Amino acid sequence: MAHQTDLNKVGREAFGLLEEYLRRRGPPPPPPRSNTHQYYNYAPPKNVLHSVRDPKEFDGVLIVTRRVPWRNHAGQNHYFRIIFLCSSPRLRRSSWNKRKGLNQGHDTQPAMASKMVLDLFCFTVLVLCMANPSLEQEIFDPMDFEAMGDGETDDGQALVDAWDSACEHRAPAIFVIPKRTFLAGPATFEGPCRVTPKVQILGTVKAVPSMNDYYNPGWFEFKHLNGLEIGGGGTLDGQGAASWNKTNCPPKRSCKSLPISMRLLRVSNATISNLTFMNSKGFHIGLQQSSSVTISRLRISAPADSPNTDGIHISRSDNVMLTSLNIGTGDDCISIGQGVNNLQISDVTCGPGHGISVGSLGKYMNEEDVSGVSVRNCTVSGTTNGVRIKTWPGSPPSQASNFTFEDIIMHNVSNPIIIDQHYCPDHDCVVSPSRVKIQNVTFRRIQGTSNDPVAVKLMCSETMACENVHLQDISLIMENNTATSNITSSCSNVKGVAVGLQNPESCLY
């Protein structure tokens, strides 16, 4: 296939040849208003391709219009629109002759040379239409769709209307939320699109506080999109404080979660970067059933006592990268649910919160396995856990395998290293053991301070012992105390080895 630049060049040359031919023949007389208005349109000068429609929408018929400037014998300027109907890459003489408006009062049999020009024109536009349906990028701003941008009026519908128009645009589009303060209820930005718009959040968007307005799992939902890019340096404020006392998640195992500030469902080849999230009602970001997603350079914050406000929750997704994040919330900085494969986490500053957690797993029937998670070069401060794997007791069978936690710095952390297969926050769980099989787990080069004397806890299932667990070069001491004699480790139902420096002394042999 020819390069797009070459096709555009050929198209411009074809237009030039066509216009030169028509100039030499002289302009047609103005058409009568009664019978040929559909073929002529007098308009201001605009020497550009006016519109191209996809042939598929017209059962193989391509409609092309072209505004061309003319000067009559009296020196007056006229502009008319040429319309071509092409049902094949060659212009059919019969179709051309049936439309006499263009040559009304003139010879209806163009010379062979001119017919070649028209053939080339029709063919070129057909190729351009297939390769690039529209030629101009546009910006879609909710202020052009009746948004108020005053921080008091619900502009959610205007945001959706701007997105829908950008989604239908035939060329690359930018959906821009400008530098103003917007109030918005739940909004769904759904694809697939002709070309997925780039999203630029420049201003601040605040969620409608009342829970009565929310009917979806998310506040902002992006669904069924490929190639999504979200950025801009703006802020999404979930205004969750008024709703935090309305949830029993946690500690109840059966509960209704509050809306996720940004939910990404079935997206692929996506990037989310350079944004601030704050005070979500539920999770700040939820990634579900998605693939090939990179999330970077975000700041996520909520009070340490805000319930279930995980920074980023991931489930049933693969090939995900989280990097250069600053997260402090009332729950897990990052939580990894069922069905996650090939997740890379790096350069995350976490705290306050509950640390970086795999799980909880085994809460539901038929959960998908989790495999291939790496957490590297992170700093965890003032959290109730450091790096953790947690499963519910009495869980259905599944597997969790191939985890690497390395080069982690802990500052005043409870439970810096923990596997907990007895996770039961409401203390009202079944007594049967977890049936989530945990294996191939490495904790390497983890150092810092613990505020719990049991700094390493590996508490595995009585019926599904953890296997192939490695501790390597662990250096943890009590907060505000350089002594190591009063810090310990604890293991149960775990098989593995400890190598290199071990502070505290390892319970693995």
Side-chain angles (χ1 to χ4, degrees):
M1 177 179 288
H3 191 276
Q4 185 61 57
T5 302
D6 298 331
L7 294 177
N8 290 336
K9 181 179 178 182
V10 171
R12 289 192 298 270
E13 291 176 352
F15 281 132
L17 290 171
L18 176 66
E19 290 171 359
E20 180 63 24
Y21 161 73
L22 292 173
R23 285 192 183 96
R24 290 180 179 178
R25 292 185 58 86
R33 294 181 179 272
S34 60
N35 60 358
T36 57
H37 180 70
Q38 66 269 33
Y39 298 113
Y40 288 81
N41 180 40
Y42 292 93
K46 192 173 183 183
N47 191 25
V48 297
L49 180 66
H50 182 64
S51 67
V52 179
R53 299 297 183 92
D54 192 330
K56 294 179 182 178
E57 297 183 3
F58 299 96
D59 297 325
V61 177
L62 175 67
I63 298 180
V64 181
T65 71
R66 171 71 167 165
R67 288 177 181 170
V68 180
W70 294 91
R71 183 181 295 270
N72 65 14
H73 297 292
Q76 296 173 318
N77 288 324
H78 293 281
Y79 299 87
F80 75 93
R81 181 176 297 166
I82 306 171
I83 299 180
F84 296 93
L85 301 179
C86 304
S87 57
S88 71
R90 311 269 313 166
L91 180 63
R92 294 182 178 178
R93 186 184 298 271
S94 59
S95 298
W96 175 259
N97 290 338
K98 289 180 181 179
R99 289 161 177 81
K100 298 180 180 180
L102 186 62
N103 289 287
Q104 186 174 5
H106 294 270
D107 181 13
T108 58
Q109 298 295 328
M112 182 59 68
S114 63
K115 182 179 183 298
M116 292 175 62
V117 170
L118 295 175
D119 287 345
L120 173 62
F121 171 76
C122 211
F123 172 76
T124 302
V125 175
L126 181 61
V127 173
L128 286 172
C129 177
M130 292 179 176
N132 187 9
S134 184
L135 302 179
E136 294 184 2
Q137 175 176 278
E138 288 192 22
I139 294 175
F140 294 83
D141 183 335
M143 298 301 293
D144 297 328
F145 294 81
E146 301 184 355
M148 299 300 293
D150 56 9
E152 298 178 357
T153 306
D154 186 348
D155 289 325
Q157 187 59 52
L159 296 175
V160 172
D161 290 345
W163 166 267
D164 288 345
S165 295
C167 187
E168 287 297 318
H169 189 53
R170 294 175 179 272
I174 303 176
F175 169 51
V176 175
I177 299 178
K179 289 186 177 180
R180 304 174 70 104
T181 298
F182 295 84
L183 181 72
T188 298
F189 309 105
E190 190 163 4
C193 299
R194 294 180 183 273
V195 180
T196 301
K198 180 182 292 186
V199 180
Q200 289 286 292
I201 302 174
L202 307 179
T204 297
V205 188
K206 295 184 176 182
V208 171
S210 173
M211 284 299 301
N212 295 330
D213 294 325
Y214 293 87
Y215 45 86
N216 286 330
W219 169 33
F220 274 19
E221 292 194 338
F222 292 88
K223 302 166 63 175
H224 309 117
L225 294 162
N226 179 48
L228 177 66
E229 296 181 29
I230 306 176
T235 299
L236 293 181
D237 181 354
Q239 299 203 104
S243 59
W244 290 332
N245 63 355
K246 294 181 172 62
T247 180
N248 56 355
C249 292
K252 294 296 183 181
R253 183 170 184 170
S254 297
C255 60
K256 182 178 180 179
S257 299
L258 297 179
I260 303 167
S261 280
M262 181 180 287
R263 181 176 180 238
L264 306 168
L265 176 66
R266 294 190 176 98
V267 302
S268 58
N269 302 303
T271 61
I272 297 92
S273 64
N274 192 27
L275 292 172
T276 296
F277 292 78
M278 59 188 298
N279 299 328
S280 178
K281 292 176 173 60
F283 300 161
H284 286 81
I285 298 175
L287 180 65
Q288 299 171 308
Q289 300 178 51
S290 299
S291 64
S292 301
V293 178
T294 298
I295 300 177
S296 66
R297 295 183 290 120
L298 303 184
R299 183 177 183 85
I300 302 174
S301 63
D305 60 352
S306 57
N308 213 41
T309 54
D310 296 39
I312 301 174
H313 178 76
I314 305 169
S315 64
R316 298 174 67 185
S317 299
D318 54 62
N319 300 318
V320 177
M321 178 181 293
L322 310 179
T323 186
S324 302
L325 306 172
N326 191 318
I327 305 175
T329 69
D331 209 295
D332 295 323
C333 294
I334 299 170
S335 56
I336 302 155
Q338 61 157 315
V340 173
N341 294 280
N342 191 21
L343 168 63
Q344 299 180 45
I345 301 171
S346 64
D347 301 303
V348 174
T349 299
C350 169
H354 295 179
I356 298 174
S357 299
V358 177
S360 57
L361 303 178
K363 187 175 182 178
Y364 306 105
M365 294 294 295
N366 303 316
E367 285 192 359
E368 298 177 21
D369 297 343
V370 178
S371 179
V373 176
S374 68
V375 181
R376 293 183 168 89
N377 300 313
C378 297
T379 300
V380 184
S381 303
T383 57
T384 57
N385 302 280
V387 288
R388 170 171 63 161
I389 302 174
K390 54 180 176 176
T391 73
W392 289 86
S395 62
S398 64
Q399 294 192 33
S401 60
N402 302 320
F403 302 104
T404 300
F405 305 91
E406 65 181 1
D407 297 314
I408 314 292
I409 297 175
M410 307 285 180
H411 294 302
N412 191 28
V413 172
S414 302
N415 305 313
I417 298 173
I418 178 170
I419 297 177
D420 181 7
Q421 293 208 262
H422 306 90
Y423 177 73
C424 183
D426 62 357
H427 307 291
D428 185 24
C429 298
V430 297
V431 296
S432 58
S434 173
R435 289 188 289 168
V436 178
K437 178 67 175 180
I438 297 175
Q439 58 188 344
N440 303 331
V441 183
T442 297
F443 300 96
R444 180 185 296 121
R445 294 190 297 275
I446 297 177
Q447 60 180 309
T449 60
S450 170
N451 61 29
D452 188 323
V454 185
V456 178
K457 298 176 182 176
L458 307 177
M459 316 302 291
C460 296
S461 169
E462 292 84 348
T463 58
M464 292 280 190
C466 299
E467 294 185 347
N468 198 23
V469 176
H470 289 250
L471 295 175
Q472 179 178 345
D473 296 329
I474 308 300
S475 179
L476 296 168
I477 62 175
M478 285 295 295
E479 178 73 11
N480 300 321
N481 189 340
T482 59
T484 60
S485 58
N486 59 348
I487 192 169
T488 62
S489 63
S490 176
C491 298
S492 64
N493 306 305
V494 56
K495 301 176 182 179
V497 296
V499 297
L501 176 66
Q502 295 292 320
N503 284 328
E505 183 178 353
S506 178
C507 52
L508 291 178
Y509 298 100

PDB file of all heavy atoms in Angstrom, residues 127-152:
ATOM      1  N   VAL A 127      -9.200   5.811  -2.673  1.00  0.00           N
ATOM      2  CA  VAL A 127      -8.096   5.289  -1.871  1.00  0.00           C
ATOM      3  C   VAL A 127      -7.921   6.108  -0.599  1.00  0.00           C
ATOM      4  O   VAL A 127      -7.759   5.581   0.495  1.00  0.00           O
ATOM      5  CB  VAL A 127      -6.794   5.272  -2.697  1.00  0.00           C
ATOM      6  CG1 VAL A 127      -5.616   4.894  -1.814  1.00  0.00           C
ATOM      7  CG2 VAL A 127      -6.922   4.300  -3.861  1.00  0.00           C
ATOM      8  N   LEU A 128      -7.981   7.468  -0.738  1.00  0.00           N
ATOM      9  CA  LEU A 128      -7.823   8.324   0.423  1.00  0.00           C
ATOM     10  C   LEU A 128      -8.931   8.088   1.428  1.00  0.00           C
ATOM     11  O   LEU A 128      -8.712   8.115   2.630  1.00  0.00           O
ATOM     12  CB  LEU A 128      -7.818   9.793  -0.012  1.00  0.00           C
ATOM     13  CG  LEU A 128      -6.547  10.290  -0.699  1.00  0.00           C
ATOM     14  CD1 LEU A 128      -6.769  11.686  -1.233  1.00  0.00           C
ATOM     15  CD2 LEU A 128      -5.375  10.254   0.248  1.00  0.00           C
ATOM     16  N   CYS A 129     -10.131   7.862   0.934  1.00  0.00           N
ATOM     17  CA  CYS A 129     -11.251   7.632   1.827  1.00  0.00           C
ATOM     18  C   CYS A 129     -11.044   6.375   2.656  1.00  0.00           C
ATOM     19  O   CYS A 129     -11.280   6.367   3.842  1.00  0.00           O
ATOM     20  CB  CYS A 129     -12.540   7.521   1.025  1.00  0.00           C
ATOM     21  SG  CYS A 129     -13.980   7.145   2.043  1.00  0.00           S
ATOM     22  N   MET A 130     -10.554   5.318   1.997  1.00  0.00           N
ATOM     23  CA  MET A 130     -10.337   4.083   2.726  1.00  0.00           C
ATOM     24  C   MET A 130      -9.185   4.198   3.712  1.00  0.00           C
ATOM     25  O   MET A 130      -9.218   3.645   4.792  1.00  0.00           O
ATOM     26  CB  MET A 130     -10.061   2.952   1.746  1.00  0.00           C
ATOM     27  CG  MET A 130     -11.270   2.585   0.897  1.00  0.00           C
ATOM     28  SD  MET A 130     -10.873   1.262  -0.247  1.00  0.00           S
ATOM     29  CE  MET A 130     -12.486   0.972  -0.981  1.00  0.00           C
ATOM     30  N   ALA A 131      -8.149   4.945   3.339  1.00  0.00           N
ATOM     31  CA  ALA A 131      -6.965   5.013   4.177  1.00  0.00           C
ATOM     32  C   ALA A 131      -7.084   6.052   5.276  1.00  0.00           C
ATOM     33  O   ALA A 131      -6.518   5.885   6.342  1.00  0.00           O
ATOM     34  CB  ALA A 131      -5.739   5.343   3.308  1.00  0.00           C
ATOM     35  N   ASN A 132      -7.832   7.146   5.031  1.00  0.00           N
ATOM     36  CA  ASN A 132      -7.901   8.224   6.001  1.00  0.00           C
ATOM     37  C   ASN A 132      -9.239   8.932   5.839  1.00  0.00           C
ATOM     38  O   ASN A 132      -9.349   9.890   5.089  1.00  0.00           O
ATOM     39  CB  ASN A 132      -6.750   9.207   5.764  1.00  0.00           C
ATOM     40  CG  ASN A 132      -6.683  10.266   6.853  1.00  0.00           C
ATOM     41  OD1 ASN A 132      -7.382  10.171   7.849  1.00  0.00           O
ATOM     42  ND2 ASN A 132      -5.847  11.264   6.646  1.00  0.00           N
ATOM     43  N   PRO A 133     -10.295   8.469   6.524  1.00  0.00           N
ATOM     44  CA  PRO A 133     -11.640   8.950   6.254  1.00  0.00           C
ATOM     45  C   PRO A 133     -11.826  10.445   6.450  1.00  0.00           C
ATOM     46  O   PRO A 133     -12.723  11.023   5.894  1.00  0.00           O
ATOM     47  CB  PRO A 133     -12.489   8.159   7.269  1.00  0.00           C
ATOM     48  CG  PRO A 133     -11.682   6.970   7.602  1.00  0.00           C
ATOM     49  CD  PRO A 133     -10.259   7.407   7.516  1.00  0.00           C
ATOM     50  N   SER A 134     -11.039  11.093   7.256  1.00  0.00           N
ATOM     51  CA  SER A 134     -11.171  12.529   7.451  1.00  0.00           C
ATOM     52  C   SER A 134      -9.788  13.128   7.552  1.00  0.00           C
ATOM     53  O   SER A 134      -8.831  12.468   7.885  1.00  0.00           O
ATOM     54  CB  SER A 134     -11.974  12.821   8.716  1.00  0.00           C
ATOM     55  OG  SER A 134     -12.176  14.208   8.861  1.00  0.00           O
ATOM     56  N   LEU A 135      -9.675  14.394   7.209  1.00  0.00           N
ATOM     57  CA  LEU A 135      -8.355  14.979   7.059  1.00  0.00           C
ATOM     58  C   LEU A 135      -7.986  15.951   8.159  1.00  0.00           C
ATOM     59  O   LEU A 135      -6.880  16.466   8.172  1.00  0.00           O
ATOM     60  CB  LEU A 135      -8.281  15.716   5.702  1.00  0.00           C
ATOM     61  CG  LEU A 135      -8.556  14.847   4.482  1.00  0.00           C
ATOM     62  CD1 LEU A 135      -8.477  15.686   3.226  1.00  0.00           C
ATOM     63  CD2 LEU A 135      -7.588  13.689   4.416  1.00  0.00           C
ATOM     64  N   GLU A 136      -8.881  16.224   9.093  1.00  0.00           N
ATOM     65  CA  GLU A 136      -8.607  17.237  10.085  1.00  0.00           C
ATOM     66  C   GLU A 136      -8.837  16.699  11.492  1.00  0.00           C
ATOM     67  O   GLU A 136      -9.823  16.035  11.771  1.00  0.00           O
ATOM     68  CB  GLU A 136      -9.501  18.466   9.859  1.00  0.00           C
ATOM     69  CG  GLU A 136      -9.208  19.204   8.564  1.00  0.00           C
ATOM     70  CD  GLU A 136     -10.039  20.461   8.422  1.00  0.00           C
ATOM     71  OE1 GLU A 136     -10.811  20.765   9.356  1.00  0.00           O
ATOM     72  OE2 GLU A 136      -9.926  21.124   7.385  1.00  0.00           O
ATOM     73  N   GLN A 137      -7.891  16.995  12.389  1.00  0.00           N
ATOM     74  CA  GLN A 137      -8.074  16.703  13.804  1.00  0.00           C
ATOM     75  C   GLN A 137      -8.904  17.819  14.427  1.00  0.00           C
ATOM     76  O   GLN A 137      -8.741  18.982  14.092  1.00  0.00           O
ATOM     77  CB  GLN A 137      -6.715  16.614  14.493  1.00  0.00           C
ATOM     78  CG  GLN A 137      -6.797  16.435  16.000  1.00  0.00           C
ATOM     79  CD  GLN A 137      -5.434  16.264  16.613  1.00  0.00           C
ATOM     80  OE1 GLN A 137      -4.878  15.170  16.615  1.00  0.00           O
ATOM     81  NE2 GLN A 137      -4.875  17.338  17.126  1.00  0.00           N
ATOM     82  N   GLU A 138      -9.790  17.444  15.351  1.00  0.00           N
ATOM     83  CA  GLU A 138     -10.628  18.436  16.003  1.00  0.00           C
ATOM     84  C   GLU A 138     -10.550  18.294  17.514  1.00  0.00           C
ATOM     85  O   GLU A 138     -10.236  17.226  18.043  1.00  0.00           O
ATOM     86  CB  GLU A 138     -12.084  18.312  15.555  1.00  0.00           C
ATOM     87  CG  GLU A 138     -12.329  18.781  14.136  1.00  0.00           C
ATOM     88  CD  GLU A 138     -13.818  18.906  13.827  1.00  0.00           C
ATOM     89  OE1 GLU A 138     -14.608  19.048  14.778  1.00  0.00           O
ATOM     90  OE2 GLU A 138     -14.162  18.837  12.632  1.00  0.00           O
ATOM     91  N   ILE A 139     -10.832  19.393  18.206  1.00  0.00           N
ATOM     92  CA  ILE A 139     -10.888  19.422  19.663  1.00  0.00           C
ATOM     93  C   ILE A 139     -12.349  19.494  20.076  1.00  0.00           C
ATOM     94  O   ILE A 139     -13.116  20.303  19.554  1.00  0.00           O
ATOM     95  CB  ILE A 139     -10.097  20.621  20.214  1.00  0.00           C
ATOM     96  CG1 ILE A 139      -8.607  20.448  19.918  1.00  0.00           C
ATOM     97  CG2 ILE A 139     -10.325  20.765  21.720  1.00  0.00           C
ATOM     98  CD1 ILE A 139      -7.761  21.632  20.314  1.00  0.00           C
ATOM     99  N   PHE A 140     -12.730  18.659  21.025  1.00  0.00           N
ATOM    100  CA  PHE A 140     -14.101  18.615  21.512  1.00  0.00           C
ATOM    101  C   PHE A 140     -14.103  19.020  22.983  1.00  0.00           C
ATOM    102  O   PHE A 140     -13.528  18.330  23.831  1.00  0.00           O
ATOM    103  CB  PHE A 140     -14.697  17.224  21.307  1.00  0.00           C
ATOM    104  CG  PHE A 140     -14.858  16.866  19.858  1.00  0.00           C
ATOM    105  CD1 PHE A 140     -13.784  16.358  19.128  1.00  0.00           C
ATOM    106  CD2 PHE A 140     -16.058  17.065  19.210  1.00  0.00           C
ATOM    107  CE1 PHE A 140     -13.916  16.043  17.781  1.00  0.00           C
ATOM    108  CE2 PHE A 140     -16.210  16.756  17.863  1.00  0.00           C
ATOM    109  CZ  PHE A 140     -15.137  16.247  17.151  1.00  0.00           C
ATOM    110  N   ASP A 141     -14.718  20.145  23.255  1.00  0.00           N
ATOM    111  CA  ASP A 141     -14.706  20.784  24.564  1.00  0.00           C
ATOM    112  C   ASP A 141     -16.132  20.786  25.105  1.00  0.00           C
ATOM    113  O   ASP A 141     -17.060  21.241  24.415  1.00  0.00           O
ATOM    114  CB  ASP A 141     -14.185  22.218  24.397  1.00  0.00           C
ATOM    115  CG  ASP A 141     -14.046  22.974  25.710  1.00  0.00           C
ATOM    116  OD1 ASP A 141     -14.746  22.638  26.676  1.00  0.00           O
ATOM    117  OD2 ASP A 141     -13.228  23.923  25.763  1.00  0.00           O
ATOM    118  N   PRO A 142     -16.372  20.291  26.322  1.00  0.00           N
ATOM    119  CA  PRO A 142     -17.744  20.288  26.852  1.00  0.00           C
ATOM    120  C   PRO A 142     -18.363  21.674  26.956  1.00  0.00           C
ATOM    121  O   PRO A 142     -19.592  21.800  27.005  1.00  0.00           O
ATOM    122  CB  PRO A 142     -17.596  19.627  28.222  1.00  0.00           C
ATOM    123  CG  PRO A 142     -16.150  19.699  28.553  1.00  0.00           C
ATOM    124  CD  PRO A 142     -15.426  19.667  27.257  1.00  0.00           C
ATOM    125  N   MET A 143     -17.530  22.718  26.967  1.00  0.00           N
ATOM    126  CA  MET A 143     -18.082  24.074  26.994  1.00  0.00           C
ATOM    127  C   MET A 143     -18.854  24.376  25.709  1.00  0.00           C
ATOM    128  O   MET A 143     -19.727  25.238  25.680  1.00  0.00           O
ATOM    129  CB  MET A 143     -16.975  25.103  27.202  1.00  0.00           C
ATOM    130  CG  MET A 143     -16.228  24.969  28.527  1.00  0.00           C
ATOM    131  SD  MET A 143     -17.319  25.125  29.967  1.00  0.00           S
ATOM    132  CE  MET A 143     -17.806  26.851  29.826  1.00  0.00           C
ATOM    133  N   ASP A 144     -18.531  23.651  24.632  1.00  0.00           N
ATOM    134  CA  ASP A 144     -19.272  23.805  23.380  1.00  0.00           C
ATOM    135  C   ASP A 144     -20.532  22.952  23.349  1.00  0.00           C
ATOM    136  O   ASP A 144     -21.257  22.955  22.351  1.00  0.00           O
ATOM    137  CB  ASP A 144     -18.378  23.428  22.193  1.00  0.00           C
ATOM    138  CG  ASP A 144     -17.171  24.344  22.071  1.00  0.00           C
ATOM    139  OD1 ASP A 144     -17.295  25.538  22.424  1.00  0.00           O
ATOM    140  OD2 ASP A 144     -16.104  23.870  21.634  1.00  0.00           O
ATOM    141  N   PHE A 145     -20.770  22.197  24.425  1.00  0.00           N
ATOM    142  CA  PHE A 145     -21.945  21.335  24.510  1.00  0.00           C
ATOM    143  C   PHE A 145     -22.782  21.704  25.734  1.00  0.00           C
ATOM    144  O   PHE A 145     -23.347  20.844  26.399  1.00  0.00           O
ATOM    145  CB  PHE A 145     -21.518  19.864  24.554  1.00  0.00           C
ATOM    146  CG  PHE A 145     -20.873  19.387  23.285  1.00  0.00           C
ATOM    147  CD1 PHE A 145     -19.528  19.653  23.021  1.00  0.00           C
ATOM    148  CD2 PHE A 145     -21.594  18.691  22.338  1.00  0.00           C
ATOM    149  CE1 PHE A 145     -18.925  19.224  21.847  1.00  0.00           C
ATOM    150  CE2 PHE A 145     -20.998  18.252  21.161  1.00  0.00           C
ATOM    151  CZ  PHE A 145     -19.657  18.530  20.915  1.00  0.00           C
ATOM    152  N   GLU A 146     -22.802  22.993  26.022  1.00  0.00           N
ATOM    153  CA  GLU A 146     -23.657  23.587  27.051  1.00  0.00           C
ATOM    154  C   GLU A 146     -23.204  23.280  28.469  1.00  0.00           C
ATOM    155  O   GLU A 146     -24.004  23.373  29.415  1.00  0.00           O
ATOM    156  CB  GLU A 146     -25.116  23.180  26.861  1.00  0.00           C
ATOM    157  CG  GLU A 146     -25.673  23.589  25.504  1.00  0.00           C
ATOM    158  CD  GLU A 146     -27.148  23.272  25.344  1.00  0.00           C
ATOM    159  OE1 GLU A 146     -27.732  22.649  26.256  1.00  0.00           O
ATOM    160  OE2 GLU A 146     -27.714  23.667  24.306  1.00  0.00           O
ATOM    161  N   ALA A 147     -21.935  22.928  28.669  1.00  0.00           N
ATOM    162  CA  ALA A 147     -21.420  22.828  30.033  1.00  0.00           C
ATOM    163  C   ALA A 147     -21.309  24.233  30.628  1.00  0.00           C
ATOM    164  O   ALA A 147     -21.035  25.207  29.926  1.00  0.00           O
ATOM    165  CB  ALA A 147     -20.057  22.138  30.048  1.00  0.00           C
ATOM    166  N   MET A 148     -21.500  24.343  31.935  1.00  0.00           N
ATOM    167  CA  MET A 148     -21.386  25.623  32.620  1.00  0.00           C
ATOM    168  C   MET A 148     -19.974  25.848  33.162  1.00  0.00           C
ATOM    169  O   MET A 148     -19.464  26.955  33.154  1.00  0.00           O
ATOM    170  CB  MET A 148     -22.401  25.705  33.764  1.00  0.00           C
ATOM    171  CG  MET A 148     -23.857  25.600  33.296  1.00  0.00           C
ATOM    172  SD  MET A 148     -24.313  26.912  32.139  1.00  0.00           S
ATOM    173  CE  MET A 148     -24.233  28.323  33.227  1.00  0.00           C
ATOM    174  N   GLY A 149     -19.349  24.772  33.670  1.00  0.00           N
ATOM    175  CA  GLY A 149     -17.993  24.913  34.186  1.00  0.00           C
ATOM    176  C   GLY A 149     -17.904  25.840  35.377  1.00  0.00           C
ATOM    177  O   GLY A 149     -16.883  26.519  35.582  1.00  0.00           O
ATOM    178  N   ASP A 150     -18.973  25.875  36.219  1.00  0.00           N
ATOM    179  CA  ASP A 150     -18.982  26.758  37.379  1.00  0.00           C
ATOM    180  C   ASP A 150     -18.765  26.012  38.690  1.00  0.00           C
ATOM    181  O   ASP A 150     -18.774  26.623  39.767  1.00  0.00           O
ATOM    182  CB  ASP A 150     -20.297  27.546  37.439  1.00  0.00           C
ATOM    183  CG  ASP A 150     -21.530  26.633  37.452  1.00  0.00           C
ATOM    184  OD1 ASP A 150     -21.366  25.398  37.590  1.00  0.00           O
ATOM    185  OD2 ASP A 150     -22.650  27.158  37.318  1.00  0.00           O
ATOM    186  N   GLY A 151     -18.581  24.686  38.630  1.00  0.00           N
ATOM    187  CA  GLY A 151     -18.381  23.902  39.835  1.00  0.00           C
ATOM    188  C   GLY A 151     -19.639  23.663  40.638  1.00  0.00           C
ATOM    189  O   GLY A 151     -19.579  23.053  41.707  1.00  0.00           O
ATOM    190  N   GLU A 152     -20.786  24.116  40.145  1.00  0.00           N
ATOM    191  CA  GLU A 152     -22.045  23.972  40.874  1.00  0.00           C
ATOM    192  C   GLU A 152     -23.119  23.254  40.060  1.00  0.00           C
ATOM    193  O   GLU A 152     -23.975  22.582  40.619  1.00  0.00           O
ATOM    194  CB  GLU A 152     -22.569  25.346  41.291  1.00  0.00           C
ATOM    195  CG  GLU A 152     -21.621  26.095  42.230  1.00  0.00           C
ATOM    196  CD  GLU A 152     -22.138  27.464  42.591  1.00  0.00           C
ATOM    197  OE1 GLU A 152     -23.206  27.859  42.069  1.00  0.00           O
ATOM    198  OE2 GLU A 152     -21.479  28.156  43.395  1.00  0.00           O
TER     199      GLU A 152
END
